[in-house]
Amino acid sequence: MKLDLKKKKLREINNTLQNLDNKKNDRDFVIINPEGSHALCAGLNQEMKVLIKGHVGYYCAGMNQKAHVTIDGNVGTGVAENMMSGTVHVKGNASQSAGATAHGGLLVIDGDASSRCGISMKGIDIVVKGSVGHMSAFMAQSGTMLVCGDAGEALGDSLYETDIFVKGSVKSLGADCIEKKMEKKHLNKILALLKKSEIKNIKPDSFKRYGSARKLYNFNIDNVSSY
Amino acid sequence: MCGIVGIYLKNKKFEKSLGKMLSGMLNNMESRGPDSAGFAIYKDESKKLYKFSLCINDLNFNSFKKEISKKLKKARLAQISDHVILKTLEQPKKVIEIINSNFPKVSIVGYGRSIEIFKQVGNPKDVVKKFKLDSFSGTHGIGHTRMATESAITTDGSHPYSTGEDECLVHNGSLSNHNNLRRKLTKKGSVFNSENDTEVAAGYVSNSLSNNISLKDTLTSGLKDLDGFYTFITGTRKGFAVVRDEIACKPAVIAETKNYVAIASEFQAMAHLPDVNNAKIFEPEPGIVYSWGN
């Protein structure tokens, strides 16, 4: 079904997608003329496919559950923020805080993601084919971040337990984030993510693994300057 | 909040529609700043004439015209709502002195050989309509929609701020060291007309440029001297520049085509621009100065 944001209001379109009839089989939607609208496809909670043709604004596909949303364009701040499950695929670039606080699902960004990508992520898998900006995976708690390009300053600052894999250069690591040894199970994890996000020609062992040094878990007076 | 927008034309063909492009951008940024709006347009650069953008407030235009014509010979005046564009061959110093000492109700919004500035309180859509921005032509322009935070909703508190010839600045964010900086700059001879933080940033840029420091170097040293969070667009006679502070909490997106460069707080502001979906769209990186035409 085609949904045109020039003909229908944003709330109407979100309402339609959020309240699909369980018995309906038409679960394939195309949204045209998004023109940078905010909160498009936020709060979807059923199996469906949505293709958005054009650039969208903030919080696109936020809180997503089960739905598969593809954006054929760029996204603004907070794409897939607080996603629980499902997939969000951005074909262009993403602005800051992509996948923020998300608990599950897969976010794939074909272009670059800017600052604070995966801030406070809690279980989501984020794959960025380009590079990520500064303070990415800030206070990340769980899940995996795979970056095929470079990472900006303070990667993984105040990190808890997220695995970060970066193929390119890392400008600097944040407090308590260190490079860690790559083991077989990590290579398998990378391989699975590359496959899921349809990336070919990149070898799992070309990535480096970063994680938490676990020194900031408990208060220690020696680390006071890092808190 | 606050919305900032700017457009710089690479192709003369679009000059007639500059106002239309910019007004659409301001209208779309209403949600980020409903309190006041303003814009600076660079047009019809003259080698001899100076243009003064004046807000005459509730003063009667005809009586102002009559009075000022006695003090300034061969002055040409055009009225758009409560703003007046005054054109004269006289030097700025003299004109500013005449206006300040004879017309306390008139505020000088800006001056230069090319710049024209209009700003007023109210909803951006109304402000744009009131000043007939749609009908403007020009080479480049910047604009602002304000959600007032640290100072009152007044004309003086509206952006753009112009503190030097053909210079102006719009700001999304807030500065925390503006009082100290204002005192320092006042000692060096800068004059400020409001309590607003952005005016200090504009004064900082003008002061640096007047010491023959390039715009790029000025904004780069501003990253150290201006404490706070911001995305700035600074306009000059030839173009504009954009810079975000190093934390980069305040958004900005740039769309570049072969015909124009547009910058805005959100993509929404430029969704109506011609061929924008095929533009190169990117976010300016934190702490890096981007400029066009300068």
Side-chain angles (χ1 to χ4, degrees):
Chain A
M1 193 199 287
K2 205 178 220 179
L3 300 163
D4 188 347
L5 263 158
K6 270 199 172 146
K7 289 180 186 155
K8 278 186 175 173
K9 284 190 172 156
L10 172 72
R11 281 193 180 187
E12 252 180 279
I13 290 180
N14 274 348
N15 232 329
T16 306
L17 297 172
Q18 287 159 358
N19 299 295
L20 280 188
D21 184 348
N22 275 334
K23 287 168 197 154
K24 261 194 174 168
N25 287 323
D26 184 6
R27 284 165 183 270
D28 225 328
F29 299 91
V30 178
I31 299 178
I32 57 168
N33 295 315
E35 301 197 333
S37 301
H38 296 326
L40 188 58
C41 292
L44 305 187
N45 57 7
Q46 292 187 48
E47 276 277 348
M48 71 182 86
K49 258 191 189 170
V50 185
L51 170 66
I52 304 170
K53 287 191 142 180
H55 309 302
V56 295
Y58 294 3
Y59 312 122
C60 177
M63 300 173 282
N64 185 47
Q65 294 183 58
K66 297 180 189 165
H68 305 284
V69 181
T70 303
I71 301 106
D72 195 0
N74 296 342
V75 292
T77 297
V79 62
E81 54 98 27
N82 219 53
M83 174 156 71
M84 304 304 283
S85 61
T87 55
V88 174
H89 180 188
V90 181
K91 291 196 167 176
N93 299 327
S95 181
Q96 59 181 333
S97 307
T101 73
H103 290 249
L106 174 70
L107 168 64
V108 180
I109 297 160
D110 288 355
D112 297 326
S114 69
S115 53
R116 292 171 280 270
C117 178
I119 181 172
S120 193
M121 54 192 273
K122 295 179 173 72
I124 185 180
D125 290 329
I126 301 177
V127 176
V128 181
K129 295 186 189 172
S131 300
V132 293
H134 69 278
M135 295 204 92
S136 286
F138 176 49
M139 293 189 88
Q141 290 146 55
S142 174
T144 314
M145 178 180 277
L146 187 78
V147 182
C148 301
D150 306 325
E153 284 170 350
L155 177 73
D157 192 276
S158 306
L159 186 67
Y160 291 81
E161 286 305 320
T162 292
D163 264 327
I164 306 172
F165 302 107
V166 183
K167 186 170 178 289
S169 66
V170 174
K171 211 164 188 188
S172 68
L173 292 172
D176 215 30
C177 182
I178 52 167
E179 192 183 334
K180 287 189 159 180
K181 200 182 153 200
M182 186 80 83
E183 290 166 26
K184 186 85 206 288
K185 63 177 179 187
H186 302 119
L187 290 171
N188 288 340
K189 209 174 189 180
I190 296 174
L191 194 67
L193 272 179
L194 288 172
K195 210 173 166 189
K196 251 189 183 175
S197 40
E198 291 171 9
I199 300 173
K200 287 162 195 159
N201 307 325
I202 296 184
K203 286 182 183 157
D205 60 4
S206 59
F207 288 86
K208 279 184 177 166
R209 175 183 167 230
Y210 303 90
S212 174
R214 298 175 183 144
K215 281 188 179 156
L216 296 180
Y217 271 42
N218 299 302
F219 183 74
N220 181 339
I221 193 68
D222 295 337
N223 294 332
V224 74
S225 62
S226 299
Y227 285 104
Chain B
M1 280 295 220
C2 289
I4 54 175
V5 299
I7 186 148
Y8 171 81
L9 300 178
K10 296 179 181 174
N11 185 341
K12 279 193 172 206
K13 202 177 82 184
F14 285 90
E15 283 186 8
K16 275 194 175 144
S17 45
L18 184 86
K20 215 168 190 169
M21 288 160 105
L22 195 65
S23 68
M25 294 179 87
L26 281 169
N27 287 343
N28 290 347
M29 282 297 93
E30 180 192 355
S31 55
R32 289 188 72 91
D35 294 333
S36 70
F39 57 88
I41 292 259
Y42 291 86
K43 60 182 287 224
D44 309 329
E45 185 185 328
S46 160
K47 282 198 175 129
K48 290 180 189 162
L49 277 176
Y50 271 101
K51 294 192 271 188
F52 289 81
S53 306
L54 309 172
C55 176
I56 60 168
N57 297 304
D58 53 1
L59 212 65
N60 179 283
F61 173 67
N62 287 326
S63 62
F64 172 66
K65 191 177 174 181
K66 207 170 147 189
E67 288 301 313
I68 192 101
S69 301
K70 283 181 199 164
K71 317 258 180 211
L72 273 174
K73 279 175 189 150
K74 288 184 183 169
R76 279 186 280 151
L77 283 83
Q79 182 192 19
I80 306 183
S81 184
D82 54 11
H83 277 47
V84 168
I85 300 295
L86 180 150
K87 291 181 185 172
T88 171
L89 289 164
E90 295 289 354
Q91 287 301 304
K93 206 178 161 193
K94 187 181 168 188
V95 182
I96 292 167
E97 204 181 287
I98 289 172
I99 293 169
N100 284 343
S101 49
N102 295 286
F103 304 96
K105 277 190 167 180
V106 173
S107 34
I108 302 167
V109 184
Y111 72 93
R113 296 178 195 274
S114 163
I115 198 169
E116 294 184 13
I117 302 186
F118 301 82
K119 58 183 185 181
Q120 197 47 279
V121 295
N123 187 292
K125 281 191 176 118
D126 298 334
V127 175
V128 157
K129 213 171 182 181
K130 175 171 147 161
F131 294 126
K132 304 186 175 88
L133 176 56
D134 264 359
S135 63
F136 276 76
S137 62
T139 52
H140 54 295
I142 65 180
H144 186 267
T145 62
R146 181 169 188 236
M147 189 175 279
T149 48
E150 49 60 66
S151 63
I153 303 171
T154 57
T155 313
D156 283 346
S158 312
H159 302 213
Y161 280 102
S162 181
T163 47
E165 186 179 319
D166 279 320
E167 291 162 22
C168 70
L169 183 144
V170 292
H171 173 201
N172 174 203
S174 77
L175 300 174
S176 45
N177 65 339
H178 62 104
N179 285 328
N180 260 342
L181 205 55
R182 188 185 291 110
R183 277 191 288 273
K184 275 188 198 165
L185 289 166
T186 306
K187 271 188 193 164
K188 287 179 185 167
S190 299
V191 180
F192 296 101
N193 299 314
S194 75
E195 293 299 305
N196 187 282
D197 57 342
T198 308
E199 192 182 14
V200 178
Y204 174 87
V205 172
S206 297
N207 177 65
S208 177
L209 292 178
S210 70
N211 291 322
N212 287 324
I213 298 168
S214 74
L215 184 61
K216 198 164 186 171
D217 289 347
T218 296
L219 293 175
T220 306
S221 55
L223 288 166
K224 286 194 203 100
D225 295 333
L226 298 164
D227 186 17
F229 46 97
Y230 46 84
T231 301
F232 290 130
I233 310 176
T234 56
T236 63
R237 195 181 295 158
K238 294 292 174 208
F240 64 57
V242 181
V243 68
R244 298 170 81 194
D245 73 87
E246 281 168 328
I247 303 288
C249 286
K250 291 295 168 189
V253 56
I254 294 169
E256 186 161 9
T257 71
K258 65 179 195 304
N259 294 319
Y260 63 82
V261 178
I263 166 144
S265 299
E266 295 174 23
F267 176 77
Q268 236 174 49
M270 37 178 120
H272 65 289
L273 296 178
D275 205 29
V276 76
N277 285 321
N278 295 318
K280 182 190 165 203
I281 296 172
F282 62 101
E283 281 190 8
E285 284 191 37
I288 291 176
V289 179
Y290 295 76
S291 69
W292 288 270
N294 288 299

